[in-house]
Amino acid sequence: MNDQTIALILDSLGPLLRATVTSTIPLTLISFVLGLVLALGVALMRLSSVRVVSALARLYISVIRGTPLLLQLFIIYYGLPALGVRFDPFPAAILAFTLNVGGYAAEVIRSAILSVPKGQWEAASTVGMGYVTTLRRVVLPQAARTAIPPLSNTLISLVKDTSLASTIQVTELLRVAQEAAAPTYQFFALYGVAAVYYWVVCLALSFGQSRLEERQNRYVAA
Amino acid sequence: MSETPKTPAPQTGPLVSVSGLAKSFGDHEVLRSIDFEVMPGSVTVLIGPSGSGKTTVLRSLNALDVADAGVVRIGDVEVDFARRPVTKRQVADLRAQSGMVFQSHHLFPHLTVLENVTAGPVLAQRRDRAEAVAEAKELLRLVGLEEKADAYPYQLSGGQQQRVGIARALAIRPKLMLFDEPTSALDPELVGEVLLVMKDLAAQGWTMVVVTHEIRFAQQVADQVLFMDGGVIVERGTPDEVLTRPRTERARQFLHRILDPLD
């Protein structure tokens, strides 16, 4: 590696870090949080005894899981303007990732809710709790234990999926690396730096996952 | 001629009336026309072979199982199950009348013992937290577990878990306590501590309906014993009548089997 390459890497560290902090991480976190809220709604719809409601949820999950994320992104950013709906790149990316997380996490949340024994619903009901209170105070806290590992997977995948937003002009980590590499042809060096940044973010999230799992295990026998 | 002023009659009638209760699961008729009454302050014990419908009777009293037909009245709440649809409101009203103790306790594993007991009063009934905590501690003392208030359910023995279950059910201040085979899932040496708590409650005047195989408990504590088989009440009466001098062959055989299983 010559001095020129090293200088380029050093020069890129700041801009790539900035892209990570101002774009990749917010994109991930905002989409994930909104996606979880959506997913909870979809999961509850999917569990509904009203057939139409459950079928709608099933259709949604099927479409999200059955089409490429890149295509979903293109439809929102390049396709919707044909219908007169126009988004800036960043909101378009947030919308696409939110909808995507909503589909995947819905199935995780649904199965986690189903993993809570029926007796818990019955016991809650006999002490007077209604559906919402039971869900909030009894079922979801227990479902969380089951859901945290697969939801962490979804989150970590999402960190890397945000790189797809580079294709719709979002100046996130990968795009900044591309822009820096293109004029110099130092692809290996700059993509390498980008890879390290993605990896570090994912490491931090994995660490957070372990802490969360430990916390959740406080009420079960070892 | 002067009229004597009318005074409201004291509540001397039954606290619980059940009539014509029927229930099928698919093709299987679990209950056919069950009738009985429970006087305030009395203990009713339901016995019978497994599959006889006794648990379904108990679970119909709080509509965990929704009967196909029949009327259940507890206090001034009455639900006619033949009149469809039975609304959520009706189910909730009926369910609020009783406290339920489950065979496998169903404590909330993510909550401490104290939080389990205050769950009903605080999360559902929206009573004052400080008052509910004080009352919960009193109930834990009653079941002999005040020092376990901050433990999680998994840290307790089966008998202790079941006693917390009793305290949790009492905490909603029910009119009636329902017990669904409360000692069936316990190791034999833990059965006594649970039955003793139940005996205490009976002595304090709690109205109780108990599904159990503990014949000695029934003999000592019950005011009324209902022997069920095949979805009907085959015999009813005092413990002495039903357990000591059963009239039917079915009851005799059942009692013989559980009292002398090797014979």
Side-chain angles (χ1 to χ4, degrees):
Chain A
M1 214 183 277
N2 58 33
D3 290 353
Q4 202 194 343
T5 311
I6 291 172
L8 186 68
I9 291 177
L10 291 177
D11 282 350
S12 73
L13 289 178
L16 289 188
L17 181 63
R18 194 170 324 117
T20 308
V21 172
T22 62
S23 192
T24 297
I25 290 176
L27 206 50
T28 305
L29 293 184
I30 296 172
S31 308
F32 190 67
V33 170
L34 295 178
L36 279 188
V37 174
L38 176 64
L40 176 61
V42 174
L44 294 176
M45 283 173 67
R46 177 89 165 69
L47 290 168
S48 166
S49 53
V50 183
R51 249 194 225 158
V52 186
V53 173
S54 161
L56 271 176
R58 207 179 305 225
L59 176 69
Y60 172 73
I61 292 166
S62 173
V63 168
I64 291 295
R65 295 206 301 185
T67 55
L69 175 53
L70 186 57
L71 185 62
Q72 294 165 13
L73 208 52
F74 281 6
I75 288 177
I76 289 168
Y77 188 69
Y78 296 115
L80 284 185
L83 305 177
V85 184
R86 235 166 270 278
F87 291 102
D88 283 341
F90 193 80
I94 294 273
L95 179 60
F97 295 140
T98 297
L99 292 174
N100 196 260
V101 169
Y104 278 91
E107 284 297 86
V108 171
I109 293 173
R110 178 183 71 96
S111 62
I113 287 174
L114 289 177
S115 76
V116 176
K118 193 166 141 260
Q120 291 290 308
W121 288 92
E122 290 190 345
S125 171
T126 60
V127 298
M129 294 186 211
Y131 176 76
V132 174
T133 308
T134 304
L135 201 61
R136 215 161 72 79
R137 310 308 290 253
V138 175
V139 173
L140 289 181
Q142 294 181 62
R145 241 191 101 232
T146 320
I148 283 170
L151 287 181
S152 304
N153 256 342
T154 307
L155 174 59
I156 285 171
S157 296
L158 180 61
V159 173
K160 294 163 294 170
D161 287 345
T162 58
S163 63
L164 294 173
S166 62
T167 62
I168 61 163
Q169 333 286 338
V170 177
T171 49
E172 49 65 70
L173 177 51
L174 177 60
R175 187 167 176 93
V176 173
Q178 272 173 335
E179 283 170 351
T184 61
Y185 291 95
Q186 294 285 356
F187 292 106
F188 184 76
L190 285 161
Y191 287 165
V193 172
V196 169
Y197 276 139
Y198 278 114
W199 189 33
V200 168
V201 172
C202 290
L203 276 180
L205 292 175
S206 299
F207 176 74
Q209 175 187 354
S210 316
R211 295 293 302 273
L212 211 52
E213 282 180 29
E214 277 166 32
R215 224 178 86 77
Q216 290 291 320
N217 283 335
R218 73 194 183 282
Y219 61 80
V220 289
Chain B
M1 189 169 146
S2 67
E3 278 190 2
T4 49
K6 278 183 182 158
T7 51
Q11 248 265 244
T12 50
L15 175 66
V16 182
S17 307
V18 174
S19 64
L21 204 62
K23 169 84 180 166
S24 300
F25 291 117
D27 287 343
H28 180 57
E29 245 188 318
V30 215
L31 299 181
R32 10 186 151 191
S33 199
I34 300 288
D35 302 275
F36 66 94
E37 291 181 333
V38 176
M39 297 304 286
S42 74
V43 176
T44 297
V45 169
L46 286 157
I47 60 166
S50 57
S52 59
K54 51 197 192 308
T55 289
T56 310
V57 168
L58 196 76
R59 289 169 58 91
S60 300
L61 293 180
N62 60 9
L64 282 181
D65 286 336
V66 177
D68 302 331
V71 179
V72 172
R73 183 190 60 80
I74 302 175
D76 46 16
V77 178
E78 183 173 282
V79 178
D80 181 350
F81 288 98
R83 271 220 215 114
R84 293 302 166 126
V86 178
T87 64
K88 280 184 188 161
R89 177 84 253 158
Q90 284 178 296
V91 167
D93 282 348
L94 185 67
R95 203 165 282 169
Q97 306 306 306
S98 58
M100 175 88 159
V101 177
F102 296 88
Q103 181 174 349
S104 35
H105 67 75
H106 299 329
L107 293 180
F108 306 128
H110 60 302
L111 301 181
T112 64
V113 164
L114 186 69
E115 289 167 338
N116 264 277
V117 180
T118 56
V122 174
L123 301 180
Q125 297 176 329
R126 310 264 166 217
R127 271 153 56 189
D128 177 64
R129 179 182 290 274
E131 176 206 299
V133 166
E135 197 174 306
K137 286 183 172 163
E138 197 55 47
L139 289 169
L140 286 173
R141 191 167 13 254
L142 177 76
V143 300
L145 289 172
E146 65 268 46
E147 80 287 6
K148 296 288 186 188
D150 296 324
Y152 283 99
Y154 82 91
Q155 296 167 315
L156 308 181
S157 73
Q160 292 171 331
Q161 289 169 339
Q162 203 52 293
R163 287 187 278 151
V164 175
I166 294 173
R168 178 178 68 176
L170 290 168
I172 65 165
R173 299 178 176 167
K175 292 199 180 75
L176 168 74
M177 283 288 284
L178 307 175
F179 296 83
D180 184 13
E181 303 204 25
T183 59
S184 297
L186 296 180
D187 288 339
E189 81 271 20
L190 302 177
V191 168
E193 60 188 76
V194 175
L195 292 182
L196 279 176
V197 168
M198 291 168 62
K199 210 172 154 179
D200 273 357
L201 293 180
Q204 287 174 28
W206 279 92
T207 310
M208 299 165 51
V209 179
V210 184
V211 172
T212 186
H213 293 296
E214 299 294 335
I215 299 300
R216 285 201 49 212
F217 173 82
Q219 275 165 337
Q220 291 178 24
V221 181
D223 298 287
Q224 164 178 235
V225 176
L226 307 175
F227 170 71
M228 288 187 66
D229 194 15
V232 295
I233 297 174
V234 177
E235 287 205 36
R236 66 179 79 209
T238 63
D240 190 46
E241 287 165 344
V242 178
L243 302 172
T244 318
R245 295 176 281 110
R247 285 172 292 105
T248 61
E249 188 53 32
R250 278 198 278 181
R252 261 196 294 278
Q253 275 181 5
F254 171 75
L255 289 164
H256 185 69
R257 273 203 307 277
I258 62 168
L259 294 173
D260 300 293
L262 295 179
D263 199 16

